[in-house]
Amino acid sequence: MNDTDKIRIGILTSGGDAPGMNNVINGVYKTLRSMSFENSKAGTGSTDKRKFELVLIKNGYKGLYESEFQTINAQWIQLIDLGTQMGGTIIGSARFKEFENEATRKKCIDILRKENIKGLIAIGGDGTTTGLQKISVESGMQCIGIPGTIDNDVNSSEFTVGFDTALNTIVENLDKIRQTADSHSRIMIVETMGRECGDLALHAAAAANCDLVATKDLNILEPALIELIKQMYTKKQRRSMVVVVTENLYDVKKVAKMIEAETKCETRSVVLGQIQRGGTASAFDRYLATMMGVFAAERFANSNKSSICVGLQGNRLVAIEIQDALNTPKTPEKNSALAAKVLRLSGIITKKNI
Ligand code: F6P
């Protein structure tokens, strides 16, 4: 078998970057490399002589559309290693709405075929997986999705790569916000990311011992939120109040002004923003990401050629058909429900008390 006979597998990261994406790439690369080495050893008696080659696709689906392929050379081997201790994604990411058009995907499939790519791994959130499912159906290629997003909004996996790191960043910032809030006896309204998903806000509020949390699921309208804060302020037992809210629910600047007017207590708002996406991945994210990468790479050596998503369920990695993964409903067992209970136990008001 010479180099041209290698089975080429493409990998890309798409959508919002998430800490740990680089660790997935490392897990996939090292596993494909070691499987190829094992298969090439003489005298093992194995009939599997296949060799795999990982091909990096830069800047997500946009890079695929623009044929941004990178073969792994000595410099990239070094970068893959260094990347395991770096945030972001070493191969770049992009938001690419045009991928929703069939014609755009057709061009991408033609490019993949021209590049002799036999399998595709995409690391990202729901949007990335939706695109991957279409590529899988329209091309017949084996595709594997790995959940990588800080939002933790992939229902088929208890945790997504990047969530834990972002959570740690938020908690670290909430602790700092508490210190200044205590010093000035202020009310602070802190907005986290998460898109439609409240997991970042809920988990962070529980971990940082905050006073109130509002997420989309809790469905607290703006006047009710202000009323709650007012009530809590009158009964407050702490010097300060820290309220955590998920993005896209309220105009936090406006809410802060209204609370200040109602309570006569100095109130400030903080939007944590993209800072939540940065930073070196936590140990948990590195571990999860690496294991998901290994799991995905091993699928290419299996006889089962179906397209799947990797998920963490009951502390085990599982393969879920892509369509089933996309159709997985949000279950009450999902961790946010547990976090809500933790908040109630701590005496923090949630919807139950409204
Ligand atoms: O999906 C990750 C995420 O950080 C969301 O939490 C947020 O809504 C969005 O991306 C922000 O994206 P951008 O950086 O493109 O504005």
mmCIF file of all heavy atoms in Angstrom, residues 16 95 149-151 193-195 247-248 274 277, ligand 1:
data_model
loop_
_atom_site.group_PDB
_atom_site.id
_atom_site.type_symbol
_atom_site.label_atom_id
_atom_site.label_comp_id
_atom_site.label_asym_id
_atom_site.label_seq_id
_atom_site.Cartn_x
_atom_site.Cartn_y
_atom_site.Cartn_z
ATOM 1 N N GLY A 16 -19.357 28.543 16.963
ATOM 2 C CA GLY A 16 -18.565 29.183 18.033
ATOM 3 C C GLY A 16 -17.468 28.249 18.524
ATOM 4 O O GLY A 16 -17.715 27.076 18.755
ATOM 5 N N ARG A 95 -18.815 30.996 11.156
ATOM 6 C CA ARG A 95 -20.262 30.827 10.996
ATOM 7 C C ARG A 95 -20.515 30.971 9.498
ATOM 8 O O ARG A 95 -20.017 31.899 8.870
ATOM 9 C CB ARG A 95 -21.006 31.905 11.776
ATOM 10 C CG ARG A 95 -20.676 31.867 13.273
ATOM 11 C CD ARG A 95 -21.827 32.329 14.111
ATOM 12 N NE ARG A 95 -21.452 32.395 15.527
ATOM 13 C CZ ARG A 95 -21.585 31.380 16.369
ATOM 14 N NH1 ARG A 95 -22.064 30.231 15.948
ATOM 15 N NH2 ARG A 95 -21.225 31.509 17.644
ATOM 16 N N THR A 149 -19.332 22.778 22.095
ATOM 17 C CA THR A 149 -19.897 24.123 22.258
ATOM 18 C C THR A 149 -19.950 24.442 23.743
ATOM 19 O O THR A 149 -20.226 23.548 24.551
ATOM 20 C CB THR A 149 -21.317 24.238 21.663
ATOM 21 O OG1 THR A 149 -21.953 25.410 22.203
ATOM 22 C CG2 THR A 149 -22.204 23.040 21.962
ATOM 23 N N ILE A 150 -19.739 25.706 24.091
ATOM 24 C CA ILE A 150 -19.802 26.049 25.518
ATOM 25 C C ILE A 150 -21.243 25.999 26.030
ATOM 26 O O ILE A 150 -21.473 25.929 27.222
ATOM 27 C CB ILE A 150 -19.196 27.445 25.822
ATOM 28 C CG1 ILE A 150 -20.004 28.570 25.146
ATOM 29 C CG2 ILE A 150 -17.726 27.505 25.431
ATOM 30 C CD1 ILE A 150 -19.716 29.957 25.722
ATOM 31 N N ASP A 151 -22.214 26.032 25.110
ATOM 32 C CA ASP A 151 -23.624 26.187 25.516
ATOM 33 C C ASP A 151 -24.227 24.949 26.184
ATOM 34 O O ASP A 151 -25.252 25.063 26.850
ATOM 35 C CB ASP A 151 -24.488 26.542 24.294
ATOM 36 C CG ASP A 151 -24.087 27.868 23.668
ATOM 37 O OD1 ASP A 151 -23.420 28.660 24.351
ATOM 38 O OD2 ASP A 151 -24.426 28.087 22.490
ATOM 39 N N MET A 193 -23.585 33.625 28.449
ATOM 40 C CA MET A 193 -23.959 33.102 27.129
ATOM 41 C C MET A 193 -24.805 31.846 27.310
ATOM 42 O O MET A 193 -25.213 31.518 28.423
ATOM 43 C CB MET A 193 -22.715 32.804 26.316
ATOM 44 C CG MET A 193 -22.127 34.031 25.666
ATOM 45 S SD MET A 193 -20.812 33.559 24.525
ATOM 46 C CE MET A 193 -20.583 35.098 23.653
ATOM 47 N N GLY A 194 -25.028 31.121 26.249
ATOM 48 C CA GLY A 194 -25.792 29.869 26.311
ATOM 49 C C GLY A 194 -26.851 29.771 25.236
ATOM 50 O O GLY A 194 -27.555 28.777 25.136
ATOM 51 N N ARG A 195 -26.991 30.852 24.476
ATOM 52 C CA ARG A 195 -28.044 30.903 23.447
ATOM 53 C C ARG A 195 -29.410 30.625 24.079
ATOM 54 O O ARG A 195 -29.784 31.323 25.003
ATOM 55 C CB ARG A 195 -27.722 29.904 22.330
ATOM 56 C CG ARG A 195 -28.086 30.421 20.954
ATOM 57 C CD ARG A 195 -27.738 29.397 19.892
ATOM 58 N NE ARG A 195 -26.339 29.437 19.537
ATOM 59 C CZ ARG A 195 -25.830 30.246 18.607
ATOM 60 N NH1 ARG A 195 -26.611 31.069 17.976
ATOM 61 N NH2 ARG A 195 -24.545 30.229 18.321
ATOM 62 N N GLU A 247 -28.315 34.986 28.264
ATOM 63 C CA GLU A 247 -28.363 36.013 27.218
ATOM 64 C C GLU A 247 -29.706 35.992 26.470
ATOM 65 O O GLU A 247 -30.434 34.991 26.495
ATOM 66 C CB GLU A 247 -27.213 35.809 26.223
ATOM 67 C CG GLU A 247 -27.304 34.512 25.447
ATOM 68 C CD GLU A 247 -26.170 34.334 24.452
ATOM 69 O OE1 GLU A 247 -25.466 35.292 24.147
ATOM 70 O OE2 GLU A 247 -26.010 33.193 23.970
ATOM 71 N N ASN A 248 -29.989 37.079 25.815
ATOM 72 C CA ASN A 248 -31.175 37.258 24.955
ATOM 73 C C ASN A 248 -32.513 37.245 25.698
ATOM 74 O O ASN A 248 -33.559 37.107 25.079
ATOM 75 C CB ASN A 248 -31.231 36.194 23.838
ATOM 76 C CG ASN A 248 -29.975 36.159 23.008
ATOM 77 O OD1 ASN A 248 -29.379 37.204 22.765
ATOM 78 N ND2 ASN A 248 -29.560 34.979 22.586
ATOM 79 N N GLN A 274 -17.782 37.208 25.070
ATOM 80 C CA GLN A 274 -16.907 36.188 24.449
ATOM 81 C C GLN A 274 -15.792 35.696 25.365
ATOM 82 O O GLN A 274 -15.161 34.680 25.064
ATOM 83 C CB GLN A 274 -16.307 36.734 23.143
ATOM 84 C CG GLN A 274 -17.144 36.460 21.903
ATOM 85 C CD GLN A 274 -18.419 37.271 21.852
ATOM 86 O OE1 GLN A 274 -18.677 38.116 22.703
ATOM 87 N NE2 GLN A 274 -19.235 37.021 20.845
ATOM 88 N N ARG A 277 -15.746 32.092 26.076
ATOM 89 C CA ARG A 277 -15.320 31.082 25.092
ATOM 90 C C ARG A 277 -13.815 30.850 25.114
ATOM 91 O O ARG A 277 -13.322 29.888 24.515
ATOM 92 C CB ARG A 277 -15.773 31.509 23.686
ATOM 93 C CG ARG A 277 -17.270 31.446 23.471
ATOM 94 C CD ARG A 277 -17.614 30.821 22.133
ATOM 95 N NE ARG A 277 -17.099 31.573 21.022
ATOM 96 C CZ ARG A 277 -17.806 32.439 20.290
ATOM 97 N NH1 ARG A 277 -19.080 32.647 20.566
ATOM 98 N NH2 ARG A 277 -17.261 33.070 19.281
HETATM 99 O O1 F6P B 1 -22.616 29.030 20.516
HETATM 100 C C1 F6P B 1 -21.684 29.634 21.328
HETATM 101 C C2 F6P B 1 -22.008 31.066 21.556
HETATM 102 O O2 F6P B 1 -20.980 31.609 22.350
HETATM 103 C C3 F6P B 1 -23.380 31.373 22.161
HETATM 104 O O3 F6P B 1 -23.406 31.190 23.546
HETATM 105 C C4 F6P B 1 -23.607 32.804 21.738
HETATM 106 O O4 F6P B 1 -24.966 33.102 21.627
HETATM 107 C C5 F6P B 1 -22.934 32.868 20.397
HETATM 108 O O5 F6P B 1 -22.020 31.783 20.340
HETATM 109 C C6 F6P B 1 -22.203 34.156 20.111
HETATM 110 O O6 F6P B 1 -21.612 34.054 18.865
HETATM 111 P P1 F6P B 1 -20.693 35.131 18.189
HETATM 112 O O7 F6P B 1 -19.382 35.122 18.913
HETATM 113 O O8 F6P B 1 -20.574 34.674 16.788
HETATM 114 O O9 F6P B 1 -21.397 36.439 18.334
#
